[in-house]
Amino acid sequence: MTTTLDPMDAARLSAWHERSTADYIESRVASGETREQATAAAALTDAELFPGGEPADGQHVFDVVSDGENVGILWIGLRDAATNAWWVYDVEIDEAFRGHGHGRTAMLLAEQKAKELGAATLGLNVFGFNTVARGLYESLGYEPTAIQMRKPLP
């Protein structure tokens, strides 16, 4: 299996960004935020990292391509220039291709690409309900740097 990261073309970027933002809002709501809070957080992220619907300098969106077939997406970018800290903002393997190692390969390629672009570290957020992704990241050597916890009060 040959897998590459190909820069996402402009024709697909807009539709992906709209769907990605909607998914991000839903994940934040599933994690306990109100829809208003989640929408506001997404708007702040967009204003900084995707102004006008285009990636800001230092932000890179890729198609994950395996043996010539698009199997998912990856968005990485510079998070802190002072420390050369980079971030995985979004990684998603299309449902039909999950369970075949594409997520692991995409993350390894993300590490390689970030390093090529000057990264000293690569971080990410994983929502608590996403146990499959958390297991993948832990198996690749990612360690928790903060854990948020919540308890509903009756």
Side-chain angles (χ1 to χ4, degrees), residues 55-93:
D57 288 342
Q59 302 301 309
H60 304 271
V61 181
F62 301 98
D63 286 315
V64 180
V65 179
S66 180
D67 294 332
E69 189 165 16
N70 186 355
V71 299
I73 63 89
L74 171 73
W75 170 19
I76 61 173
L78 179 63
R79 184 161 184 171
D80 183 350
T83 62
N84 290 323
W86 280 61
W87 199 253
V88 176
Y89 288 98
D90 195 5
V91 58
E92 183 177 356
I93 301 303

Side-chain angles (χ1 to χ4, degrees), residues 2-149:
T2 301
T3 304
T4 59
L5 297 178
D6 296 347
M8 186 179 288
D9 65 47
R12 289 182 14 84
L13 189 65
S14 179
W16 163 80
H17 181 247
E18 185 176 317
R19 182 178 50 82
S20 177
T21 300
D23 290 347
Y24 180 62
I25 291 169
E26 292 307 316
S27 291
R28 292 185 75 104
V29 169
S31 293
E33 290 184 354
T34 67
R35 184 156 307 278
E36 294 75 22
Q37 290 169 323
T39 301
L44 285 173
T45 298
D46 270 358
E48 178 184 354
L49 304 177
F50 248 81
E54 296 293 326
D57 288 342
Q59 302 301 309
H60 304 271
V61 181
F62 301 98
D63 286 315
V64 180
V65 179
S66 180
D67 294 332
E69 189 165 16
N70 186 355
V71 299
I73 63 89
L74 171 73
W75 170 19
I76 61 173
L78 179 63
R79 184 161 184 171
D80 183 350
T83 62
N84 290 323
W86 280 61
W87 199 253
V88 176
Y89 288 98
D90 195 5
V91 58
E92 183 177 356
I93 301 303
D94 296 339
E95 194 168 336
F97 298 101
R98 293 180 188 163
H100 301 284
H102 297 298
R104 174 175 299 280
T105 301
M107 288 301 298
L108 292 171
L109 289 171
E111 293 172 13
Q112 179 182 346
K113 180 61 76 174
K115 190 172 181 177
E116 288 171 9
L117 293 168
T121 62
L122 185 62
L124 54 84
N125 179 72
V126 60
F127 289 103
F129 61 83
N130 196 344
T131 55
V132 172
R134 185 170 177 177
L136 169 63
Y137 304 141
E138 288 173 349
S139 77
L140 289 168
Y142 289 81
E143 298 176 357
T145 57
I147 297 174
Q148 294 181 347
M149 300 177 82

